[in-house]
Amino acid sequence: MKQEQTPVLIVGGGLTGLSAAVFLAHHGVKALLVERHADTSTHPKARAINPRTMELFRAVGMEERVRAGRSPISGNTDLVHVETLAGKERVRMPNASPDDIGRISPTLWTLIDQNQLEPILRARAVEAGADVRFHTRVEALQEDADGVLARVTDLSTGTESEIRAQYVIAADGSRSPLREMLGIGAHGRGTITNLVSFFFEADLEEALRGRRIIAAYVNNPEVRGTIIPLDNDRRWVINVSFFPDRGQRAEDFTEERCITLVRAAVGIPDLPLKIESVDMPAWDISARVADSFATRRVFVAGDAAHVMPPTGAFGASTGIQDVYNLAWKLALVLSGAAGPALLESYDAERRPVAEETVRQAMLRFAVREGKQYQEVADELLTETTMTFGYCYLSGAFAREEGAPGVLIEDPEHPSAAPGARAPHLVLDGPDGPLPVTDLFADGFTLLVDEAAGPWPTAVEQEAGALGVALKTLRVGPRQQYTDRDGEFRQRYGLMPGGAVLVRPDGFVGWRATAGRSGAVDRAATAALRTLLDRA
């Protein structure tokens, strides 16, 4: 049987798997990706990419490419809970304005359908050197101390072969056969509701009453579901819950039944409409998190690691952020610059974030199911807080002595503590204004206040000896990078001479609030070595 070699095998060609291939290629790792389906998704599915995830696409040069494929509904803003679309509006979910987000990030939300984004990612992955193979299924996986052996079948020809990988990313969806093969369990509520989806054509201008909806969550005695615009004109998709425990089946959704349900959801009994299709497979909304995100050499990501209701538009972005966290770590371990324990931080960092994200999605879903908004408001984090404010409780960073471990912070008032996202800031550089987040993508970045002495040179030398890319940027009125608003010290919690070490994923790895002491270079180099498992 033919056997191939690859540093990283990615199983799953959805948004998470394709993003993993792109991010690994950005760090110099050309992965092999296999996907059992013959092509990318034909269904809109996930439709919103949050600003933090757009920062990641920006970091690998894809921001404009992704925006160019944005959905026809990209200008829509309203998420509404209604009894019917034409009737009473129960609650309108709050969302941040572009100005609010602009204080936190250099980029914004992008509404792009999954069936538009997946081909963009696939093309970019191939351009960057990834080997992408659709219609290829993993039959078995065997892990040992030196790597992973996968047996795969080319479903176009029936030919079996073996792939030997040093590491595997399992991004094979919510029912993840790989997670099952590895014996990794999952916990959580499980299946919440079963649904069918169908497309229809209708003029809903009267029912919309000027609203530009991203989605309308309908809940009345006749139908519970979600109306979503496709072209912002006449084409729509509706996702309708059904209940097997009441004897209901997906097969019962005939064209006549679907017409009745659309009219009940819209609230216009004689609404003229045309059903496009009623043959889409049933699916479910679930909530669960894998008990572990990693074995020795296999890493679970995306829906394989965490499944959540679509309320909040967290799912796709959380998966993409998983593999952004993982890609730079794999690249450093594969190059020998980092020890294998760096990879253990993936589970430690990402699993608590997934737990809270699922919880937040569930709170929003409870409103969709009929709870009053006021009942969940005290526990509900804003989308902006959940997008930018999550922190890592433990992992690849040097925690400050006495600092409390917090999972969530207010992104409007960031701490810049190790384990938190490095705050957004606009610097004036040699080529004009530059968001500081644009500096982080290609390696470690040491941001140093201009009052610091020459000690950063020792850190640069240590990084070079370790084989790690690190650049030092001094920030101040007399430096190459000028803090245009005078906020650098305040936003990064620094006194004169302080510094922060930022990881390639834009999270703070170490901080010295002041840097006049001769010991600070030793502290910085020790932190870098510990982070890399090279102590």
Side-chain angles (χ1 to χ4, degrees), residues 67-384:
R67 290 203 190 283
R70 61 187 178 271
S71 167
I73 71 166
S74 59
N76 296 18
T77 56
D78 298 334
L79 284 165
V80 296
H81 292 263
V82 299
E83 292 181 1
T84 67
L85 190 61
K88 181 181 177 182
E89 186 173 304
R90 295 175 50 235
V91 65
R92 186 174 300 201
M93 298 301 287
N95 52 46
S97 70
D99 288 343
D100 293 335
I101 296 171
R103 293 192 295 271
I104 300 170
S105 175
T107 189
L108 297 168
W109 281 88
T110 295
L111 297 182
I112 179 169
D113 299 341
Q114 185 165 339
N115 57 332
Q116 296 296 319
L117 181 53
E118 283 185 5
I120 292 171
L121 289 167
R122 181 179 181 178
R124 179 56 182 267
V126 172
E127 289 168 11
D131 185 349
V132 177
R133 304 178 191 178
F134 274 62
H135 220 205
T136 303
R137 183 176 63 216
V138 173
E139 308 290 357
L141 204 68
Q142 184 178 342
E143 184 179 14
D144 57 43
D146 300 317
V148 185
L149 183 66
R151 179 166 53 84
V152 303
T153 300
D154 181 333
L155 297 175
S156 300
T157 64
T159 304
E160 287 194 352
S161 60
E162 292 181 338
I163 299 170
R164 180 74 179 175
Q166 290 176 259
Y167 296 98
V168 172
I169 299 176
D172 54 338
S174 60
R175 292 181 172 82
S176 183
L178 260 66
R179 195 185 67 230
E180 293 292 324
M181 292 178 194
L182 295 165
I184 297 175
H187 58 276
R189 180 170 166 182
T191 299
I192 303 168
T193 186
N194 296 276
L195 301 104
V196 292
S197 301
F198 50 91
F199 299 103
F200 67 95
E201 294 180 18
D203 180 357
L204 301 186
E205 184 176 1
E206 176 188 348
L208 286 168
R209 303 192 299 278
R211 294 169 295 184
R212 296 181 65 83
I213 64 167
I214 298 170
Y217 302 106
V218 177
N219 192 340
N220 64 55
E222 294 180 73
V223 61
R224 186 180 299 176
T226 309
I227 299 173
I228 301 170
L230 292 176
D231 63 0
N232 243 9
D233 183 19
R234 295 190 58 85
R235 295 190 70 237
W236 312 83
V237 64
I238 183 167
N239 306 322
V240 178
S241 292
F242 70 98
F243 305 93
D245 58 342
R246 302 178 193 172
Q248 298 175 2
R249 306 176 305 156
E251 295 82 359
D252 297 333
F253 286 82
T254 61
E255 182 172 342
E256 181 180 0
R257 172 69 175 148
C258 291
I259 289 172
T260 300
L261 289 169
V262 170
R263 287 173 172 165
V266 175
I268 300 177
D270 57 351
L271 177 74
L273 71 137
K274 175 186 176 183
I275 300 296
E276 290 188 11
S277 64
V278 293
D279 57 354
M280 294 179 64
W283 54 289
D284 64 75
I285 289 176
S286 301
R288 58 179 175 270
V289 178
D291 296 337
S292 172
F293 282 15
T295 62
R296 288 174 300 175
R297 290 183 173 268
V298 182
F299 304 91
V300 184
D303 284 355
H306 41 71
V307 186
M308 63 195 75
T311 41
F314 297 129
S317 284
T318 304
I320 295 167
Q321 290 168 39
D322 287 344
V323 290
Y324 196 76
N325 177 288
L326 183 58
W328 67 272
K329 296 173 181 178
L330 279 168
L332 288 178
V333 171
L334 286 164
S335 72
L342 174 61
L343 295 173
E344 295 175 7
S345 67
Y346 170 68
D347 176 80
E349 292 178 355
R350 294 303 301 171
R351 188 151 50 94
V353 172
E355 298 274 8
E356 179 59 24
T357 307
V358 170
R359 192 177 78 87
Q360 289 295 317
M362 285 289 289
L363 289 170
R364 287 162 169 78
F365 191 77
V367 178
R368 184 254 200 205
E369 294 292 273
K371 263 195 176 183
Q372 295 300 311
Y373 179 76
Q374 293 77 9
E375 295 182 64
V376 301
D378 288 347
E379 295 182 76
L380 205 63
L381 298 172
T382 67
E383 289 175 359
T384 302

